[in-house]
Amino acid sequence: MQATGNNSLYRYRMSIRVLADGFSLYIYNASGGLLQQEDYVGHDNENLEKVLQLHLTKPRIMEYEYDSVEFLAGTPTTYIPLDEFRREEMTALYRMTFSTNETNEADIQYEILKKPEIVVLYRLSEKLKNIILNVYPIASFRSIQGALLEKIAEDEGRKHSEGTSCYIRIFQKHLYVFAFTFGELHFACDYPSSTDIDRLYYILYVWKTLELDAINDICILSDATESLIEEIKKYILHVETCA
């Protein structure tokens, strides 16, 4: 099976984002405009793998010729300072961090972020990975958290900010939180949240737990509703939004 189609005059980019309860598939044109989006919500991993394979081989998906195919896994993630990372220890560390998850060794992946010098451990089914590579051999694999953290670290590095900047990213039923103090990563975590009430609770919980300053530290939101922004402003003075 060919990795790309042959009927398109232009190049395109595909992004596949897989979470615990399903996946979203996006196709973008060369200028970054969204052409197609498909969402699937399920509860069985094996069924998810079959459905994703079916979606990837649909004629309307394969008719495009892709410059890149990016797979982003939104599975439980943990972080290790780069200078403390030992590949032979990552399976034990991941299982210790997520002791309730029965994770096969082959499913534990890692990626190195040069900025902010962090190793991200996450889970990705080897079977699912092989399914995608069989259809699109050019596919690259990352964690959603790692991709977000790398982009935020680059933006933070350009700011040379003092104090703490707490970045909040909302995607579907997840809330991703990354805090940088004087440009260095201080905290990273994600929370399940599908309502603004839950999101407000977790944001204020992080603010209190990290003992952040409601007057001087900054909360930077992405994809937040106007109502959530207004609620946060009741508790935090400096609230910014970004794409």
Side-chain angles (χ1 to χ4, degrees), residues 108-141:
I108 300 174
Q109 313 291 330
Y110 75 95
E111 59 177 313
I112 297 175
L113 306 184
K114 295 181 180 179
K115 185 72 174 178
E117 298 186 347
I118 291 290
V119 177
V120 182
L121 297 185
Y122 66 100
R123 188 182 74 250
L124 171 59
S125 162
E126 185 177 38
K127 180 179 179 182
L128 183 58
K129 184 175 182 178
N130 288 334
I131 286 173
I132 295 168
L133 288 174
N134 284 337
V135 183
Y136 296 105
I138 64 171
S140 62
F141 299 86

Side-chain angles (χ1 to χ4, degrees), residues 4-243:
T4 58
N6 298 312
N7 299 324
S8 175
L9 297 176
Y10 304 97
R11 292 285 189 170
Y12 300 87
R13 177 171 64 87
M14 180 191 293
S15 177
I16 308 164
R17 304 172 191 177
V18 174
L19 300 168
D21 56 353
F23 67 85
S24 296
L25 189 153
Y26 306 85
I27 296 176
Y28 301 91
N29 60 24
S31 60
L34 180 63
L35 297 179
Q36 289 190 36
Q37 176 179 345
E38 297 195 22
D39 301 297
Y40 169 79
V41 177
H43 303 283
D44 179 80
N45 285 335
E46 184 175 355
N47 187 51
L48 185 149
E49 292 167 354
K50 292 179 179 178
V51 174
L52 180 55
Q53 184 176 33
L54 177 64
H55 275 67
L56 291 176
T57 54
K58 286 181 177 179
R60 67 172 180 268
I61 301 297
M62 297 198 72
E63 69 180 358
Y64 297 106
E65 189 169 356
Y66 299 103
D67 268 342
S68 66
V69 176
E70 181 183 56
F71 182 98
L72 296 169
T75 54
T77 299
T78 190
Y79 309 87
I80 308 169
L82 180 57
D83 58 1
E84 296 180 14
F85 174 65
R86 305 292 182 272
R87 186 172 180 178
E88 64 273 12
E89 298 174 357
M90 70 178 190
T91 299
L93 178 60
Y94 189 89
R95 288 174 176 169
M96 181 178 65
T97 305
F98 302 105
S99 57
T100 58
N101 294 337
E102 295 183 1
T103 306
N104 294 326
E105 183 174 358
D107 296 341
I108 300 174
Q109 313 291 330
Y110 75 95
E111 59 177 313
I112 297 175
L113 306 184
K114 295 181 180 179
K115 185 72 174 178
E117 298 186 347
I118 291 290
V119 177
V120 182
L121 297 185
Y122 66 100
R123 188 182 74 250
L124 171 59
S125 162
E126 185 177 38
K127 180 179 179 182
L128 183 58
K129 184 175 182 178
N130 288 334
I131 286 173
I132 295 168
L133 288 174
N134 284 337
V135 183
Y136 296 105
I138 64 171
S140 62
F141 299 86
R142 301 195 66 181
S143 66
I144 290 178
Q145 296 91 323
L148 284 173
L149 177 54
E150 186 172 59
K151 175 63 168 59
I152 291 170
E154 292 175 354
D155 293 343
E156 180 68 13
R158 287 191 289 267
K159 289 170 56 178
H160 304 291
S161 60
E162 296 183 358
T164 296
S165 298
C166 189
Y167 293 82
I168 312 294
R169 297 291 183 268
I170 298 169
F171 177 69
Q172 295 183 353
K173 298 180 180 180
H174 291 263
L175 184 76
Y176 301 100
V177 181
F178 305 97
F180 284 78
T181 301
F182 296 104
E184 298 295 329
L185 181 65
H186 177 55
F187 177 83
C189 195
D190 58 272
Y191 304 93
S193 59
S194 56
T195 67
D196 279 351
I197 293 176
D198 290 340
R199 292 163 188 147
L200 178 62
Y201 168 80
Y202 283 121
I203 292 170
L204 296 181
Y205 169 77
V206 168
W207 217 261
K208 180 179 179 180
T209 301
L210 298 182
E211 299 182 345
L212 300 183
D213 191 324
I215 303 299
N216 297 310
D217 293 327
I218 304 172
C219 179
I220 304 171
L221 295 161
S222 177
D223 295 324
T225 63
E226 287 298 326
S227 60
L228 177 59
I229 295 171
E230 291 306 312
E231 281 297 313
I232 294 174
K233 285 182 177 180
K234 294 178 182 179
Y235 305 93
I236 302 170
L237 179 61
H238 297 290
V239 178
E240 301 177 2
T241 59
C242 65

